[in-house]
């Protein structure tokens, strides 16, 4: 499975960005796609995820709840992350990840549950 993120960039506080993750080569009807981010000097943290049934879960980053929204387009397939009211604390590299055979019925999946990762897209908020 290949994952390619896009949509990152440099914005001002309060502005919005929409990240995309295009997936190719995926087989099987059961999966979860997730967004993670990693800021300089910090551990990677999970933001939000969506599975094949359309179930969504937030990760442990409470500050994004109500500002970030995940969605997907099954036909492409592509996953999106709409990020509103961005702050400098959102500055990080944002990664798309894919977990084949797993769903979100037990909650957000950890990074180790994802077999495939994109290269990331930089988001800078000033």
């Amino acid at each position: 499975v290949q994952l390619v993120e896009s949509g990152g960039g440099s914005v001002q506080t309060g502005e919005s960005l929409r990240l995309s993750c295009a997936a190719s080569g995926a087989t099987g009807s059961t999966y979860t796609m997730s967004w993670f981010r990693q800021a300089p000097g910090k551990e990677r943290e999970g933001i939000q995820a969506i599975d094949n049934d359309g179930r969504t879960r937030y990760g442990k980053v409470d500050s994004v709840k109500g500002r970030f929204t995940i969605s997907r387009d099954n036909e492409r397939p592509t996953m999106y992350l709409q990020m509103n009211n961005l702050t400098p604390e959102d500055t990080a590299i944002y990664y798309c990840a894919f977990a084949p055979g797993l769903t979100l019925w037990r909650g957000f999946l950890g990074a180790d549950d994802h077999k495939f990762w994109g290269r990331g897209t930089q988001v800078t908020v000033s």
Side-chain angles (χ1 to χ4, degrees):
V1 178
Q2 291 187 327
L3 305 171
V4 179
E5 303 98 334
S6 61
S10 297
V11 297
Q12 300 292 316
T13 298
E15 294 184 340
S16 300
L17 282 174
R18 189 191 195 204
L19 305 183
S20 299
C21 173
S24 60
T27 59
S29 59
T30 302
Y31 64 87
T32 289
M33 294 182 72
S34 306
W35 287 103
F36 289 79
R37 72 183 184 186
Q38 188 165 19
K42 295 186 177 180
E43 294 185 355
R44 187 171 297 186
E45 53 187 10
I47 301 171
Q48 201 171 10
I50 188 167
D51 66 17
N52 55 282
D53 287 330
R55 184 185 296 111
T56 63
R57 291 282 187 269
Y58 279 105
K60 295 183 178 180
V61 185
D62 290 337
S63 64
V64 305
K65 293 177 181 178
R67 299 189 298 122
F68 290 12
T69 304
I70 196 170
S71 61
R72 76 176 196 277
D73 178 347
N74 278 340
E75 293 189 0
R76 298 196 178 195
T78 303
M79 177 177 66
Y80 304 96
L81 185 68
Q82 178 66 41
M83 306 186 296
N84 297 327
N85 195 22
L86 287 161
T87 74
E89 288 68 37
D90 296 315
T91 295
I93 299 175
Y94 285 70
Y95 296 92
C96 170
F98 187 90
L102 298 177
T103 67
L104 295 170
W105 75 275
R106 286 187 175 180
F108 191 87
L109 301 177
D112 291 344
D113 292 318
H114 296 77
K115 291 183 62 176
F116 303 99
W117 292 80
R119 292 187 175 185
T121 184
Q122 176 71 48
V123 172
T124 303
V125 186
S126 59

